[in-house]
Amino acid sequence: CIACGVRSDRSNFVRVVRTACGEIVEQGARRIEGRGAYVCRNEACIGNTNATNLLSRAFRRNVKLELTGRADE
């Protein structure tokens, strides 16, 4: 996780991808090619990525994370 540094199976994370055309998307069941970053599926890590601009730095553009497929819902 880029927010807390936890290492685990990929299934425990959400992969956020910057595609070749510059679009920022949440990876679903189908693998998406592009620069990716993994974030834990909890509100604390999602909030931390937004508060500290971690995804913005990783993707070199302004990004706010709003996930649709969280495990805790």
Side-chain angles (χ1 to χ4, degrees):
C1 175
I2 65 169
C4 67
V6 168
R7 293 178 178 248
S8 184
D9 293 333
R10 289 182 182 173
S11 62
N12 295 329
F13 300 107
V14 174
R15 183 171 185 248
V16 183
V17 181
R18 179 178 180 189
T19 64
C21 61
E23 185 180 14
I24 305 293
V25 295
E26 176 186 347
Q27 178 177 303
R30 185 177 60 89
R31 175 118 172 118
I32 300 172
E33 290 190 27
R35 183 175 181 89
Y38 290 89
V39 181
C40 291
R41 295 178 181 265
N42 64 50
E43 292 294 327
C45 286
I46 293 168
N48 192 19
T49 60
N50 289 334
T52 57
N53 295 319
L54 291 170
L55 284 176
S56 296
R57 280 186 257 159
F59 295 137
R60 296 183 181 102
R61 69 179 334 185
N62 191 17
V63 177
K64 293 292 180 192
L65 187 58
E66 296 177 22
L67 301 178
T68 57
R70 283 182 244 141
D72 58 337
E73 292 182 340

